[in-house]
């Protein structure tokens, strides 16, 4: 066990009164994700375009391991977002009924790509409040809702809300607006923690005949 449930519960009561006390929870939460060799999360993501007034739903599986990140979506189309520790790979597969080449965008991690791996930054090597400032805290039963703002412009989101299940000691929902006012809501439907890593999940080989763009 990474930390005692009673201690976490006591901290949650303080957190609704003090952002400083909430940082204790963030540290414990980050430790749980970081100390696991591999985290697997079933996700449902909804992105609402401010310009188009349209919401797109994505269902997939996300993996985290020692700062690395892999997110596979099967709907509405198959896609892969992967960070292998140095390079961000954004892969779009053609519709099965139409065919065509795989589209691969390759980029180094910088201020233009950090927002793509936001969850990895939230649950990576540092506690949440190292990169985000607590604006508001609300505690209802076993759910702690925390509103955050990024501390620097490299993470291009205007505001972010986390919902933390205090009993399970897991993040259940993430909502944020990006720099063009699109709204993203991510539900973490099932989270599993593993004691073994799988390095192959975080390797990528460009398929033959893929169209590659270097960003």
């Amino acid at each position: 066990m990474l930390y005692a449930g009673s201690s976490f519960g006591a901290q949650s009561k303080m957190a609704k009164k003090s952002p400083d006390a909430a940082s204790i929870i963030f540290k414990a939460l980050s430790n749980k994700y970081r100390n696991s060799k591999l985290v697997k999360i079933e996700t449902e993501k909804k992105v609402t375009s401010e310009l188009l007034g349209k919401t797109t739903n994505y269902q997939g599986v996300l993996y985290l391991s020692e700062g690395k990140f892999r997110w596979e979506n099967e709907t509405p189309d198959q896609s892969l977002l992967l960070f292998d520790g140095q390079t961000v790979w954004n892969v779009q597969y053609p519709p099965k009924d139409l065919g065509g080449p795989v589209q691969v965008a390759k980029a180094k991690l910088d201020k233009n790509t950090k927002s793509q791996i936001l969850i990895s930054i939230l649950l990576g090597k540092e506690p949440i409040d190292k990169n985000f400032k607590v604006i508001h805290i609300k505690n209802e039963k076993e759910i702690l809702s925390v509103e955050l703002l990024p501390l620097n412009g490299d993470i291009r989101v205007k505001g972010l809300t986390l919902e933390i299940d205090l009993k399970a000691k897991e993040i259940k929902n993430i909502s944020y607006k990006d720099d063009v006012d699109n709204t993203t809501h991510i539900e973490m439907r099932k989270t599993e923690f593993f004691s073994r890593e799988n390095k192959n999940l975080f390797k990528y080989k460009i398929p033959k005949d893929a169209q590659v763009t270097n960003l």
Side-chain angles (χ1 to χ4, degrees):
M1 182 175 290
L2 296 173
Y3 41 83
S6 58
S7 174
F8 197 93
Q11 293 159 9
S12 72
K13 292 177 182 178
M14 291 189 294
K16 64 183 179 181
K17 298 179 180 180
S18 168
D20 292 334
S23 68
I24 301 173
I25 291 179
F26 292 154
K27 184 176 181 179
L29 190 72
S30 296
N31 284 341
K32 179 175 182 180
Y33 284 84
R34 185 171 62 245
N35 290 343
S36 177
K37 291 293 186 180
L38 178 68
V39 183
K40 177 183 177 182
I41 306 171
E42 295 179 11
T43 62
E44 182 169 349
K45 180 172 75 170
K46 296 180 180 180
V47 180
T48 301
S49 169
E50 178 73 14
L51 180 63
L52 301 176
K54 176 184 176 182
T55 298
T56 305
N57 296 330
Y58 303 83
Q59 290 188 343
V61 179
L62 186 154
Y63 299 90
L64 300 167
S65 179
E66 298 181 341
K68 299 180 179 67
F69 175 93
R70 181 187 182 96
W71 199 348
E72 304 169 355
N73 284 301
E74 295 296 331
T75 60
D77 296 305
Q78 186 181 3
S79 64
L80 169 67
L81 180 63
L82 186 144
F83 175 58
D84 60 14
Q86 294 183 327
T87 302
V88 178
W89 301 89
N90 196 328
V91 184
Q92 303 294 323
Y93 296 89
K96 293 179 181 179
D97 55 340
L98 297 178
V102 175
Q103 306 287 328
V104 180
K106 177 183 178 183
K108 293 299 182 183
L109 185 64
D110 58 21
K111 64 182 181 180
N112 295 316
T113 55
K114 273 190 174 181
S115 296
Q116 295 185 55
I117 61 165
L118 175 63
I119 296 175
S120 181
I121 294 170
L122 281 167
L123 301 174
K125 297 179 180 179
E126 298 177 326
I128 293 167
D129 54 349
K130 290 291 185 180
N131 295 298
F132 296 88
K133 178 183 178 181
V134 176
I135 300 301
H136 181 72
I137 300 174
K138 185 178 180 181
N139 192 353
E140 291 186 357
K141 295 182 179 180
E142 293 294 333
I143 301 297
L144 186 71
S145 178
V146 186
E147 294 180 22
L148 304 164
L149 283 177
L151 290 173
N152 62 68
D154 287 356
I155 304 172
R156 295 182 174 179
V157 296
K158 292 184 176 180
L160 183 146
T161 300
L162 300 181
E163 290 186 358
I164 302 168
D165 185 323
L166 297 173
K167 186 176 181 180
K169 310 176 188 70
E170 297 171 6
I171 293 178
K172 290 299 184 182
N173 291 284
I174 300 174
S175 300
Y176 62 90
K177 275 195 172 186
D178 62 22
D179 53 359
V180 292
D181 284 334
N182 294 329
T183 300
T184 298
H185 177 82
I186 303 166
E187 179 185 356
M188 298 180 167
R189 308 180 78 175
K190 181 181 179 181
T191 303
E192 297 177 87
F193 298 87
F194 298 94
S195 58
R196 285 188 175 184
E197 60 184 340
N198 184 344
K199 293 183 178 180
N200 290 330
L201 282 172
F202 305 98
K203 296 178 181 178
Y204 184 71
K205 183 178 180 180
I206 300 173
K208 184 180 179 181
D209 300 327
Q211 291 186 355
V212 181
T213 303
N214 291 296
L215 302 177

